[in-house]
Structure formats: C-alpha cells, structure tokens
Amino acid sequence: MSPRSTVAPVALAVGMLLISMVSYQCGASLAKHLFPQVGAQGATAYRLGISALLLLLWRRPWRRSGSRRDWRTLWGYGLSMGAMNLVFYMSLRTIPLGIAVALEFTGPLALALFGSRRWIDFVWIALVVAGLALLLPLRGSMQALDPVGVMYALAAGAGWALYIVLGKKAGAAYGADAVTLGTSIGALLAIPFGIAHAGSALLSPTLLPYALGVAVLSSALPYSLEMVALTRLPARTFSTLLSLEPAIAALAGVALLSERLSLLQWLAIATIIVAAAGTALSVRRPMLAEPLAN
C-alpha cells in the first residue's frame, strides 16, 4: 500500500470527524434553548426520535436484513447512545456546555490511555490532561458547579466510551445502517423519558423547527459522519482525536450561549488543539499496521 493511498482515507476520516464535532456542539447549543419548554428529557426525545425517523426514511435498513447480524452489539451500541445523550443533556441543565463536554471527555480519554502503547501517545494524552486541568474551574469556583450536573456529565463520559467501542463493532457488522438502527434503539430509550417530563408540549408546532434542527445537527449528521470515521480509524486514535471536543464546545458556548472564558481556559483550548493535531499527525504510522475497514 503506497503512503498516499494510506493517507487519503485517514485524512477523509479525520475531516468527517471534525465536521461532526462542530455540528454536534451547534446542536447542543440549540437544544439548550429548548430546555425551558420541554426540559432536557424532551430535548433528548426530540433529538433521537426525529433523527431516527429521518434516518429510517433515508436508509430503509429493513431492505438489507440478514441472519448474520450481531444483535447484542447493535443493542448495546444503541442503548449506550441513548443513555449518553440523555445524561449529557441532563448535565447541561446546571453546568456550562464547555465544562460538561470536558467532564464527558473523561470516557474517551480513559479509552485512549488504556489502548496506548508508544511513548508519544502518552505525550499527547498528557497535553490533553493538562488542557482539561486548565479548562475545569478547579480553583475556588469549582464549588459553584452543581454536583448532580457533574455526575451526569461523568456518566455521559462512560456512555461515550461504550459508544466508541460498540460503535466500531456495530459499524463493521452493519455498515452505514448501524447509525440508523442504533439511533432508533436510542430513541426507544429516550422518548419515554421525554413524554413523562414534557407530555403534550412535545407536539407544539412552534417547537418542531427547533427540534428538527437539533435532530439534524446533533444526531443525524454527526453520527453518520462519525460512523465513517469509526470504521477507518483505530478506537484509540478516534478517541484521542476527540480531544478537540471540549475546545469546540467552549467556542460554541462563547458564540451561541454567551458563555465567558478566562485566559487559562483559552490556554487550555490551545493545549488541547496541539494534542489533537499531534495525534492526527501520528495516525499514519499505526494505520499502516491496521487494514482499513470498508
């Protein structure tokens, strides 16, 4: 395999992952504006329910059903997706978007650390840890953070790690249909919580355009792009590249939610970006040892 033929699919996967992260954070910012009307549970139901409907109409996965499928992996992937989205939105009720994503990132970060073998990988992970230490308000203002919101964000991190591991397996077995089927399973988990909390408010015509925007930006588009990246990058590389997520979330919070950042937090963003860039530059070598998935 020539270097160029190896780099091209890796660059495509990295680009799709970056687009998915920007889309995800824009959708999360939009969803937070729905909390006063339908709560975090209703916003999650909107997000996964409408996303599942759109993906089912587009992909029509029932046309490609077969007996060789790994249903346990698929259900694990879908349930982890649903739980991750629900508890993450619950955390956004009381803590800022950038901090919530930084806490959520502990899941993928732990996955990257467990899968590391080369010393250079620990350099990038150390930079991520330093960036997160600066990003989180550990000096004095940490007491202002709602502990329940912090626990929800950490639970979302555990769900995120499961999503990465199970998503890679589901993508290998189902291809692009894994996103459609997984989102549908996640919707089955989230919708009852949304109905129990918001009831008939979910059917308000004035909220449906916002709900559609949340569904497309937060699930349908980013999960489809992420599935391509998952099947072309090792789980360790994928999870470490996600170190950009807190930085993108912080920028989205500034631009869309009027959240302020301190000088140290901007320094944290720069540190995390350097770590992510270093990881992206080191993708090529391990990819030569691991065949690309179709």
Side-chain angles (χ1 to χ4, degrees), residues 7-277:
V7 170
V10 170
L12 178 62
V14 171
M16 288 186 172
L17 184 56
L18 292 174
I19 294 172
S20 75
M21 288 189 287
V22 172
S23 176
Y24 183 91
Q25 297 308 326
C26 290
S29 300
L30 182 60
K32 197 165 183 177
H33 290 292
L34 290 172
F35 286 5
Q37 288 78 30
V38 296
Q41 300 94 326
T44 308
Y46 272 149
R47 172 181 171 175
L48 292 177
I50 296 177
S51 296
L53 180 60
L54 292 175
L55 289 170
L56 285 170
L57 292 175
W58 175 40
R59 294 290 307 178
R60 289 179 283 181
W62 53 84
R63 299 181 303 174
R64 293 173 291 277
S65 60
S67 58
R68 66 183 185 280
R69 307 302 193 184
D70 186 353
W71 289 102
R72 287 188 299 178
T73 297
L74 179 65
W75 274 87
Y77 167 62
L79 292 175
S80 66
M81 181 192 299
M84 173 185 68
N85 283 298
L86 180 60
V87 295
F88 177 68
Y89 276 13
M90 295 290 282
S91 74
L92 291 184
R93 297 179 304 173
T94 55
I95 61 177
L97 176 61
I99 293 176
V101 173
L103 290 170
E104 185 189 25
F105 186 71
T106 56
L109 179 61
L111 187 62
L113 180 60
F114 293 153
S116 296
R117 293 295 182 270
R118 300 180 302 161
W119 68 268
I120 192 64
D121 296 322
F122 290 94
V123 172
W124 307 134
I125 291 172
L127 282 175
V128 172
V129 171
L132 292 178
L134 293 172
L135 190 61
L136 289 172
L138 298 177
R139 290 165 298 280
S141 62
M142 184 65 183
Q143 295 179 352
L145 290 179
D146 174 51
V148 176
V150 169
M151 293 304 299
Y152 275 130
L154 292 174
W160 197 354
L162 286 173
Y163 164 78
I164 293 171
V165 174
L166 297 175
K168 191 172 181 69
K169 295 179 180 179
Y174 292 86
D177 288 339
V179 175
T180 302
L181 298 172
T183 303
S184 301
I185 293 171
L188 293 177
L189 175 67
I191 288 176
F193 286 95
I195 294 175
H197 179 82
S200 60
L202 291 172
L203 302 178
S204 174
T206 59
L207 297 180
L208 291 181
Y210 298 96
L212 181 61
V214 169
V216 173
L217 291 175
S218 294
S219 290
L221 177 60
Y223 284 161
S224 296
L225 295 176
E226 278 187 7
M227 183 53 66
V228 176
L230 274 169
T231 56
R232 285 164 171 77
L233 296 173
R236 173 182 55 81
T237 301
F238 180 91
S239 59
T240 310
L241 277 171
L242 287 175
S243 58
L244 274 175
E245 197 82 51
I248 294 173
L251 291 172
V254 171
L256 303 176
L257 298 173
S258 300
E259 294 176 352
R260 291 180 173 271
L261 293 176
S262 67
L263 180 61
L264 284 178
Q265 288 172 326
W266 282 116
L267 178 61
I269 291 173
T271 303
I272 292 171
I273 289 175
V274 169

